Amino acid sequence: MRLTTSQALIRFLDQQYVERDGVQHRFFVGCFGIFGHGNVGGVGQALFEYPAFTYYQSRNEQAMVHTAAGYSRMKNRLATFACTSSIGPGATNMLTAAAAATINRLPVLLLPGDIFASRHVDPVLQQLEFPLAADVSVNDCFRPVSRFWDRINRPEQLITSLMQAMRVLTSPADTGTVTLCLPQDVQAEAYDFPDELFAKRVWYIPRPLPDSGLMDRAVARIRAAKRPMIVAGGGVIYGEATDALRAFVHATGIPVAETFAGKGSLPYNDPHQLGAMGATGTEGANAIAAEADVVIGIGTRYSDFTTASKTAFQNPGVSFININIAEFDAHKQSGLALTGDARATLDALGERLARYRVETAYRERVAAYNRSWDEKVALAYAPESDQQLSQAEVIGLVNDFATSTDVVVCAAGSLPGDLHKLWRTRDSKGFHVEYGYSCMGYEIAGGLGVKMADRAREVYVMVGDGSYLMMSSEIVTSIQEDVKLTIILINNHGFASIGGLSRSLGTEGFGTQYRARDEGSGQLDGQLLPVDLAANAASLGATVIRTSDSASFAAALRQAKANDTTTVIYVETGPERKMEGYGHAWWEVPLAAVSQTAGVQEAYQRSVDQKEKQRHHL
Ligand SMILES: Cc1ncc(C[n+]2csc(CCOP(=O)(O)OP(=O)(O)O)c2C)c(N)n1
Ligand SMILES: [Mg+2]
C-alpha cells in the first residue's frame, strides 16, 4: 500500500490491541497533538485524512503527555494515546512529561517532529546545530527518558521500529515512554508498505510465574518469619492483583503498607491495612517496618519516600522478597527476586503457604494500628475552628463527600504527603497521586486523562497555587472535550511544602512565598502578590466557586457535582496544621556542612544523627 510514513504510522496505530486475561483492549485511543511546521504536513495531514483515529488538541506539549500518562495509569496500562509535536520547542516541551511517564512505568508514545533528514535546508527554523555531529538534534534529549528511542530516517524503517515500540509499550516490565522521532521531510515521504503491517495485531500480556526453586526459598523464608510485612506498590494495582492480595493477606495475616502508587491496594479499613509507608507513613506502618524480619515488596520501586531514605527497616536480620515483573526492581534491597506477575505469583505463593498464619498477637497489633490511625484521620478531618480551613480539613471534606469509586488526583507540594496519610481509599483506582516524578503541573493535565479513561467517576483534582500557576491550561481542553473535572485549588500563597522543608533545614522558608520584592530589604518578603487565581480559572472557561469555610466548601462540592462542566473550587488555607512524622519518617535532603546560621548548623547535626540509621541491606 503506497502511503506516506505518517499515513502508515496512523493506520498501524489504529490496529493495535492488547489482550490480558482473555479481554482485548484497543491500545491507542487517539492522538494528542499541537501542530507546527515540523508535523503539520506530515502526521497532521495523516490524521486529517484518517479521522477514525481521533485527534485531540492540547494547550501545551508537556500537558498532553501527562494526559496520556494519566489515562494509561487509570486503564492499568492497557491503553494510551500517541502524542505528536512539531520540531524544537514543541518536541522538548514533552521531555518533562516523558520522564514522568517512564519513572511511573506508564506507556506513552511520543512522535516529536525532527530536523530534515535530507539536511538540505539546514538549519531549519528551530534547529539546534551540533557542530561535532550532524545527526544530533534536540530530540536526542529523549534518549535517557525513553524506554525505546528511534529516529525514522527512511520510511521503511518504520516497519521494524514500530514492532519494537509496541513490544516495549505493552511490556509490563519495560514499559514507559517510547519516542519515535520523525524528521519532517520523512513524515511526508511515500513507500510501498506491506499490507500485513495494517492488519489487526493483538499484543498478548502474559502473567509469568517466578522460578519454582526461588518460590520454594521464598516460602521457607516466610514460614520462618515472625514479623513479615508487605509493601504494596503500583504493580499491585496495574497488575490487577488487589483481589489476590486481599485473599493472600486474609489467609496469612501478613499486614500491608502502601507506597504512593500502591495506595488503594487494600481498602483503608481492612484490619491488615497499615496505611502509608515510609517518609510520609503512618504510625503503624513505620513501627511494624522498623521491626519486620521479612519484607515482601510487591510491584514497588523502593523509592526513598518508601524506605524513609533507607532508615525504615531497622531489624538487623531483615531480608526482602520482591515480587516484581521487572527483574531490575525485583533485585532491589538485595531481595530474593521473584520476577513475575504480581497476581499469578501471589496466588501461587498463597497455595504454597497453606496453613501458614502470623501469630494472633501480631495480627491484633496490626488491627489496633489500623483503628487508631483512623481515629487520627478523623481528628485531622475535624474542623479546628470556624476560621480559615486547614489543608487536612479540605481533604476531609472532599473525602467525606466523594463516593467510594471517585478519584483524587494530585502530584506535588504539601498535598501528596497529606493525602498519602489521610485519604481513606476505598477503591483500587481511587487514589491517583503522581509521586514518582512529583511533577508540578501534572495535576490538571493528568486528571483530564483520568476522567477520559473513566467518565463514570467524579475526578477531584487537588492542586496547590504553585502547581496551578505552572500548568492550568488543560482546563481549556477539558471544556473543549466536555470532560468534567472538579478542581480543588488550594491557595496558600506559595510553596508551603518547600517552605516547611526550608525551615526544617534552617533556611527560614527563603524564596518560597509569593511576595513582592520589598524595597527596604531588597528581598522577596514584601506584600503578598495581588494574583486572583479564581478569576484566572474563570477566564479559562471553568465554573468557579470561591469558598471560605467548611460550610461554603461543602456547598461548593454539592454544586460541583451537579455541574456538568469543569468546576474550580477555590479555597485559601490557613497556616499549616501539620501532621507529624511517625517512626522512621525521615527523608534525606542535603544540608550545608558549613553555615553562619545557627538553625542550619542544628539541622545539619540532626541529619548526621539520622544518617547513622541508614542501612545498606546487602
Ligand atoms: C516542576 C517542578 N518544579 C519544582 C518542584 C519542587 N517543588 C515541589 S513542591 C513545590 C511547591 C508546590 O507549591 P504548591 O503547588 O503551591 O503546593 P504547596 O507546597 O503550597 O502545598 C516545589 C517548587 C517540583 N516538584 N516540580
Ligand atoms: Mg501553595
Side-chain angles (χ1 to χ4, degrees):
M1 201 184 291
R2 190 152 185 85
L3 295 169
T4 68
T5 306
S6 305
Q7 292 160 0
L9 170 67
I10 297 303
R11 269 174 191 269
F12 173 88
L13 297 181
D14 193 35
Q15 292 302 320
Q16 304 310 302
Y17 290 77
V18 290
E19 180 182 328
R20 186 163 75 179
D21 304 327
V23 184
Q24 284 188 13
H25 309 260
R26 190 175 178 224
F27 192 64
F28 294 103
V29 284
C31 184
F32 267 98
I34 293 181
F35 297 125
H37 62 91
N39 62 342
V40 68
V43 175
Q45 189 279 338
L47 288 165
F48 166 72
E49 223 170 62
Y50 197 87
F53 198 69
T54 309
Y55 162 70
Y56 296 88
Q57 196 181 59
S58 182
R59 305 317 114 189
N60 176 317
E61 292 86 355
Q62 180 184 332
M64 70 192 185
V65 180
H66 286 324
T67 302
Y71 185 96
S72 89
R73 175 164 167 181
M74 196 62 193
K75 291 283 189 191
N76 290 330
R77 314 195 286 203
L78 298 172
T80 188
F81 288 93
C83 297
T84 170
S85 80
S86 189
I87 79 160
T92 52
N93 263 357
M94 297 198 289
L95 269 173
T96 297
T102 292
I103 286 169
N104 287 287
R105 314 277 207 264
L106 295 170
V108 295
L109 175 62
L110 306 193
L111 306 168
D114 211 328
I115 57 173
F116 277 82
S118 71
R119 310 268 161 75
H120 191 164
V121 298
D122 284 8
V124 64
L125 175 68
Q126 301 174 327
Q127 175 171 352
L128 181 148
E129 292 168 284
F130 188 60
L132 299 185
D135 64 346
V136 172
S137 80
V138 293
N139 284 355
D140 287 80
C141 297
F142 283 97
R143 289 175 186 261
V145 297
S146 300
R147 299 304 305 265
F148 178 70
W149 183 99
D150 201 359
R151 178 176 282 128
I152 309 299
N153 279 314
R154 303 162 58 104
E156 65 269 38
Q157 273 179 16
L158 199 59
I159 301 168
T160 49
S161 195
L162 281 173
M163 293 303 148
Q164 281 304 317
M166 286 307 300
R167 177 192 70 74
V168 172
L169 286 167
T170 61
S171 156
D174 289 351
T175 198
T177 296
V178 167
T179 305
L180 298 183
C181 306
L182 303 173
Q184 55 186 85
D185 48 351
V186 180
Q187 285 181 43
E189 283 167 17
Y191 180 76
D192 291 315
F193 288 95
D195 288 342
E196 307 91 281
L197 186 64
F198 309 113
K200 176 175 172 178
R201 195 172 292 263
V202 184
W203 300 82
Y204 183 87
I205 300 182
R207 292 192 177 276
L209 276 170
D211 174 79
S212 169
L214 286 174
M215 292 275 274
D216 291 342
R217 291 180 190 198
V219 167
R221 210 185 271 184
I222 296 169
R223 282 193 182 279
K226 291 282 172 230
R227 289 180 171 13
M229 76 178 291
I230 288 169
V231 175
V236 174
I237 293 172
Y238 304 150
E240 293 171 357
T242 52
D243 288 346
L245 179 72
R246 189 179 309 126
F248 183 84
V249 303
H250 282 238
T252 60
I254 301 176
V256 175
E258 295 173 328
T259 72
F260 277 88
K263 189 167 160 85
S265 293
L266 278 186
Y268 78 97
N269 53 1
D270 188 297
H272 302 86
Q273 172 68 278
L274 290 165
M277 171 71 216
T280 50
T282 66
E283 187 173 18
N286 287 353
I288 296 287
E291 297 169 27
D293 50 6
V294 172
V295 178
I296 307 170
I298 312 176
T300 175
R301 304 184 307 131
Y302 285 111
S303 82
D304 63 350
F305 263 78
T306 298
T307 67
S309 297
K310 294 267 165 81
T311 63
F313 305 106
Q314 285 294 329
N315 185 328
V318 67
S319 73
F320 296 81
I321 296 170
N322 299 322
I323 303 173
N324 207 299
I325 192 74
E327 193 175 41
F328 176 75
D329 293 309
H331 281 271
K332 286 180 177 171
Q333 318 276 104
S334 310
L336 194 162
L338 297 183
T339 309
D341 173 72
R343 192 171 94 185
T345 307
L346 276 170
D347 286 345
L349 261 190
E351 268 175 39
R352 295 194 192 202
L353 280 168
R355 289 179 302 285
Y356 165 81
R357 216 163 157 70
V358 300
E359 285 163 11
T360 311
Y362 186 57
R363 273 174 74 121
E364 283 170 356
R365 194 170 150 224
V366 168
Y369 272 132
N370 177 270
R371 285 191 303 273
S372 67
W373 183 257
D374 204 53
E375 285 158 18
K376 286 199 170 64
V377 171
L379 274 180
Y381 281 10
E384 200 166 51
S385 70
D386 43 11
Q387 300 294 303
Q388 219 169 24
L389 286 166
S390 73
Q391 186 158 285
E393 288 160 43
V394 171
I395 291 172
L397 285 160
V398 178
N399 188 282
D400 283 343
F401 182 78
T403 67
S404 60
T405 54
D406 292 344
V407 190
V408 66
V409 179
C410 190
S414 56
L415 274 162
D418 286 355
L419 287 166
H420 194 210
K421 282 189 173 122
L422 297 177
W423 189 258
R424 289 171 170 152
T425 313
R426 293 159 282 183
D427 179 271
S428 67
K429 300 307 297 180
F431 187 84
H432 186 117
V433 176
E434 188 284 287
Y435 214 61
Y437 210 35
S438 185
C439 186
M440 290 172 74
Y442 176 85
E443 299 87 348
I444 296 173
L448 180 69
V450 172
K451 181 72 176 180
M452 290 172 92
D454 193 344
R455 291 189 185 235
R457 302 177 192 240
E458 290 289 323
V459 174
Y460 293 97
V461 173
M462 299 194 71
V463 59
D465 52 323
S467 274
Y468 178 88
L469 276 169
M470 268 198 200
M471 198 178 288
S472 52
S473 54
E474 297 322 290
I475 289 176
V476 177
T477 312
S478 83
I479 306 289
Q480 181 175 40
E481 293 293 340
D482 199 15
V483 175
K484 177 209 167 174
L485 300 173
T486 299
I487 299 168
I488 319 292
L489 169 50
I490 297 183
N491 189 0
N492 52 23
H493 303 284
F495 304 155
S497 52
I498 307 298
L501 184 60
S502 164
R503 278 184 288 279
S504 80
L505 306 182
T507 46
E508 300 170 15
F510 174 69
T512 60
Q513 290 193 331
Y514 285 168
R515 288 183 181 275
R517 189 168 299 284
D518 184 79
E519 275 185 24
S521 70
Q523 302 291 331
L524 298 177
D525 52 12
Q527 294 293 308
L528 288 175
L529 297 179
V531 183
D532 187 344
L533 296 179
N536 176 278
S539 78
L540 299 180
T543 304
V544 177
I545 312 169
R546 294 175 192 257
T547 67
S548 54
D549 53 16
S550 62
S552 58
F553 192 88
L557 283 169
R558 289 192 294 275
Q559 193 184 327
K561 184 154 187 179
N563 253 7
D564 50 16
T565 60
T566 291
T567 306
V568 173
I569 302 179
Y570 175 85
V571 58
E572 297 201 10
T573 53
E576 277 308 281
R577 183 151 58 106
K578 271 256 121 319
M579 296 286 295
E580 56 186 309
Y582 291 95
H584 295 278
W586 185 56
W587 181 43
E588 183 176 15
V589 283
L591 269 134
V594 178
S595 166
Q596 303 303 313
T597 318
V600 175
Q601 292 160 3
E602 286 157 23
Y604 181 78
Q605 196 44 52
R606 280 197 302 277
S607 89
V608 169
D609 297 344
Q610 286 290 349
K611 276 188 80 68
E612 277 171 16
K613 298 186 191 133
Q614 276 183 326
R615 303 203 40 201
H616 278 293
H617 302 307
L618 293 173

